[in-house]
Amino acid sequence: MMRIGEKLVKKGMGLLLCGVLLSGVWSESVYALGDTTKTVSAATTTQRDKIKNSTAAEDPVPGIIKSITPSVVGIIGKDDSGGNSGPDDRYNLTHGSGIIVKSNGWIVTNAHVIKDLQNALVVTSDSKTYSIKETYLDEVSDLALIKINATSLKPAKFIPSTGKTIVGEKVVAVGTPISFSLRNSATVGVISGLNREVAAAYRLIQSDTAINPGNSGGPLVNMKGEVLGINSLKYSAVGVENMGFSIPSDTVQYIMNQLFKYGEVKHPSLGLELEPSWSSIVGLPTLDPLTVTKVISAEARKAGVAEDDVLYSIDGHRVVSLVDINELFKSYSPGTTVRLVMQSDGDIVIRKLVLTQGDPLLSEEGAGADGEEHTED
């Protein structure tokens, strides 16, 4: 998400052509060097087309950008989160990006892009402008659905699962960085890491693709033109370069399905506050359990769970972090009974607990395990 609060100073750029510019000469030309005469045959139109097609075949990126661009939108509006006011209040704007998911005007973006946005406008790749008619937010996942009155839009294709995505795979990010006039800018990079647990309720994709302020809500696309994820945040600190994170397609589709069905996300909850082990928090490989620091729900108390109990597994799935539980619960619903393997007063016990509805578990440490500054874009 990009806030417009400073004037941009545009510096002129000159193009220096070194040598001799030859224009309009495609016929056969003859010129002399000393006593030697050489004949230079210019490329024909057919030859130029062959070169162009060969380049496109070798590098799919231009075609992918051309294909995904009609599905990407820019979103801009007045920042109503307590920003500046005064004579220049008309410049107190915020903008981000979004992805068309249905041809009748449904768009997915980040919750932090659309939250507190007043008089918001959506601009499509063909420069048509629409106001937002409906908005549904899920701040925990940082995802939102918005609706514009439009038809015959081109929805993006989301990859069904990121399970086969690999580190080193080339990706493209498309969005609206820095200035709203730079809509549909594209950058290219590779997947740097998968299943990252940083400042989010769910696992994220890490890439070295340049993701700048305003890219939030735009797509991260693979070399098949499929959306792998939605660009959401980045690390920004002295000495940190090219560390952007995207919400995976799996999570995006889970949240979208819930929002379309209920108008909200019905997150299952254990009704407990849990603390991961030190090893889990700092990122060391571990199988250490989580410790119960507070019992919140009546269902958890009824199941016999108490403070200082430790949790090893849920329905046979070993859990060592809060994100482990949130990811597991994407396939559960409130009201479901789960089987917990726990330790209480030194004994291994089985607790049967009915899930309630509530926010997923969040770590108070956020992204700060390595001490680096984190900012949303």
Side-chain angles (χ1 to χ4, degrees), residues 73-154:
V73 302
I75 303 169
I76 190 168
K78 187 178 185 307
D79 180 12
D80 195 41
S81 61
N84 297 325
S85 60
D88 290 334
D89 187 50
R90 64 189 185 279
Y91 297 117
N92 184 26
L93 303 173
T94 297
H95 79 261
S97 308
I99 312 168
I100 297 167
V101 293
K102 289 193 175 185
S103 61
N104 63 348
W106 284 103
I107 295 163
V108 67
T109 184
N110 286 138
H112 78 260
V113 168
I114 207 70
K115 183 187 177 185
D116 300 322
L117 207 60
Q118 300 297 315
N119 302 318
L121 296 175
V122 172
V123 180
T124 54
S125 64
D126 56 0
S127 298
K128 292 182 179 179
T129 303
Y130 302 88
S131 58
I132 297 174
K133 301 302 181 183
E134 297 181 56
T135 301
Y136 301 95
L137 295 177
D138 181 59
E139 292 187 63
V140 172
S141 64
D142 193 25
L143 291 171
L145 275 176
I146 59 175
K147 176 74 165 62
I148 60 175
N149 286 342
T151 58
S152 303
L153 300 177
K154 183 182 178 183

Side-chain angles (χ1 to χ4, degrees), residues 224-246:
K224 294 181 180 179
E226 301 166 317
V227 177
L228 285 175
I230 292 182
N231 302 320
S232 180
L233 52 89
K234 65 182 287 186
Y235 272 103
S236 179
V238 175
V240 177
E241 296 181 0
N242 299 335
M243 289 189 69
F245 297 89
S246 307

Side-chain angles (χ1 to χ4, degrees), residues 17 49 99 102 131 156 158 194 203 205 227 237 241 276 292 298 326:
L17 301 179
D49 288 342
I99 312 168
K102 289 193 175 185
S131 58
F158 282 74
L194 298 166
R203 296 192 180 104
I205 298 170
V227 177
E241 296 181 0
V292 177
N326 296 336

Side-chain angles (χ1 to χ4, degrees), residues 13 17 27 55 71-72 91 125 141 193 216 221 228 258 266 272 286 292 316:
M13 181 178 293
L17 301 179
S27 57
T55 301
S71 302
V72 182
Y91 297 117
S125 64
S141 64
S216 286
V221 185
L228 285 175
Q258 292 265 319
K266 295 188 175 182
L272 303 171
T286 182
V292 177

Side-chain angles (χ1 to χ4, degrees), residues 276-299:
S277 69
W278 174 84
S279 297
S280 176
I281 290 172
V282 301
L284 289 172
T286 182
L287 290 177
D288 291 345
L290 299 102
T291 302
V292 177
T293 56
K294 187 176 182 180
V295 180
I296 300 171
S297 72
E299 288 81 356

Side-chain angles (χ1 to χ4, degrees), residues 39-61:
T39 301
V40 179
S41 297
T44 64
T45 301
T46 302
Q47 289 171 322
R48 293 199 305 274
D49 288 342
K50 285 182 178 179
I51 293 171
K52 182 178 179 181
N53 292 337
S54 174
T55 301
E58 293 174 2
D59 187 358
V61 170

